Amino acid sequence: MRMFIQTKCPLLLKSLLVCAVTLTTACNQQSYNSPEGYDLNKPQKMELGKVLNEISGITYYQENNALLAISDSKEKVFEINVDKRKLKDFTDRVIGPQNDIEDVARVDSIIYLLSSKGRIYTVPMKKRNDSSAIRSYDFSSDEKNDFETLYYDPGVSGLVMLCKTCAFDKSEDVHSAFRFDLATNTFDSTALYTIDDKAVNKVLKDDNAKFKPSAAAIHPVNKRLYILSSAGNLLVVADNKGQPIEAYHLNPDEFPQAEGIAFAPNGDMYISNEGKQGKPTLLLFPYHENKKN
């Protein structure tokens, strides 16, 4: 009996170790569901420089196959060249650091910057290094408003900024969106739409999910609105009135603090992460139309 125990135990121990390794590997390789056309489990990753440690917004710059990016603590706009994987200044220091710039959009020859309090700055492309050419437009004087999301919607001929938390919303579970008219450079006085957390939780089938919009962009092919929530690690796909259609949990290892989203004209999706855990990153997800995930 003693010999049996001595010879069998090592085999049993070895089997247990193999099982433990297998289970650990399976946990580390957990698969996350993806919107049609993408595989969120297989990003092409680019590490960004320290200067973009607080990258808070991106927009696609088609002429150079690049992204324009802003960072919370910086006073300029940056250009990320996707092909060359290089970063350079796109503007001089044109915005003061106290303005807390949270998102960026570009429409034709104008760059638009959004501050957390709802102020929009216009930066002409041809005079992007001339601070005297910049204009600003205030949405509200209420200091309790907090915006992180700005995107262009050609369907409403304007920009749309989406509340993270705003004083005029009925609760923290409701997020209003307001249009900025590009023809008049004025804000609409009433909300374009609202998103209720309950609607997000319903399509996600998770009543405990946290939704705080941190970035958004309209898909150039399917025309749906893609909304990131850094809090809760979510990607929500909605119609252009903000009604959630689909929602996905994001892997926190790949999306530690996702606060920027942009699309190339062919549907390739870019998502940027602040350097919450290590270096800031830019993730590319190639678009494959009609691909089911």
Side-chain angles (χ1 to χ4, degrees):
M1 179 64 69
R2 187 174 181 182
M3 286 294 294
F4 178 81
I5 293 174
Q6 288 177 337
T7 56
K8 293 294 183 179
C9 281
L11 292 176
L12 178 60
L13 179 60
K14 183 178 180 180
S15 297
L16 290 173
L17 287 173
V18 169
C19 290
V21 170
T22 302
L23 288 172
T24 302
T25 302
C27 290
N28 291 337
Q29 294 180 347
Q30 179 183 349
S31 180
Y32 287 77
N33 293 330
S34 304
E36 184 174 333
Y38 299 101
D39 187 348
L40 297 180
N41 299 289
K42 297 180 180 179
Q44 297 177 25
K45 184 183 296 185
M46 174 182 174
E47 290 187 348
L48 302 173
K50 185 178 179 180
V51 70
L52 286 180
N53 196 55
E54 293 183 279
I55 184 170
S56 53
I58 55 176
T59 190
Y60 192 71
Y61 181 32
Q62 186 171 354
E63 288 84 339
N64 292 3
N65 190 27
L67 296 167
L68 300 182
I70 45 92
S71 179
D72 286 352
S73 59
K74 303 302 178 184
E75 304 171 46
K76 61 182 72 175
V77 179
F78 300 89
E79 179 182 339
I80 305 171
N81 189 295
V82 176
D83 293 329
K84 298 179 180 179
R85 302 174 71 88
K86 289 186 177 181
L87 173 69
K88 69 177 184 180
D89 292 352
F90 190 74
T91 70
D92 289 338
R93 296 182 178 181
V94 291
I95 301 292
Q98 73 279 4
N99 291 294
D100 190 24
I101 302 302
E102 291 288 350
D103 212 348
V104 57
R106 182 200 167 203
V107 183
D108 298 327
S109 61
I110 304 292
I111 301 170
Y112 297 88
L113 305 177
L114 173 70
S115 79
S116 60
K117 300 307 177 187
R119 175 178 293 173
I120 288 181
Y121 296 87
T122 59
V123 183
M125 292 281 287
K126 292 183 178 180
K127 297 183 178 180
R128 59 181 183 263
N129 293 320
D130 181 2
S131 58
S132 66
I134 296 175
R135 300 291 180 267
S136 64
Y137 306 90
D138 288 325
F139 169 69
S140 170
S141 59
D142 197 320
E143 291 296 314
K144 295 180 180 179
N145 292 335
D146 187 5
F147 293 89
E148 290 190 358
T149 302
L150 182 73
Y151 66 92
Y152 173 56
D153 183 354
V156 298
S157 301
L159 299 171
V160 180
M161 59 182 196
L162 182 56
C163 284
K164 182 179 180 182
T165 55
C166 284
F168 45 76
D169 283 330
K170 296 179 181 179
S171 72
E172 292 187 358
D173 298 332
V174 177
H175 314 277
S176 296
F178 288 87
R179 186 182 77 111
F180 180 73
D181 190 323
L182 296 179
T184 62
N185 287 332
T186 57
F187 295 95
D188 289 351
S189 58
T190 57
L192 180 65
Y193 62 80
T194 60
I195 300 178
D196 194 311
D197 288 5
K198 292 180 181 178
V200 173
N201 294 345
K202 183 177 180 180
V203 298
L204 191 62
K205 297 180 180 179
D206 181 354
D207 292 337
N208 297 316
K210 183 183 295 185
F211 177 67
K212 301 289 182 184
S214 58
I218 292 180
H219 196 286
V221 180
N222 64 33
K223 307 305 180 184
R224 289 181 173 178
L225 176 62
Y226 285 57
I227 308 169
L228 287 175
S229 174
S230 177
N233 298 100
L234 302 179
L235 173 63
V236 177
V237 181
D239 64 19
N240 60 6
K241 294 183 180 179
Q243 180 62 38
I245 300 170
E246 306 164 6
Y248 303 89
H249 286 288
L250 299 175
N251 184 346
D253 293 332
E254 295 291 357
F255 303 88
Q257 193 165 348
E259 299 206 355
I261 185 170
F263 293 99
N266 67 349
D268 288 351
M269 179 170 63
Y270 296 89
I271 294 178
S272 60
N273 289 287
E274 289 192 18
K276 181 179 180 180
Q277 299 174 358
K279 295 180 180 180
T281 58
L282 177 67
L283 307 180
L284 165 61
F285 299 90
Y287 181 59
H288 303 284
E289 194 168 2
N290 299 324
K291 178 180 178 181
K292 299 289 184 178
N293 290 295

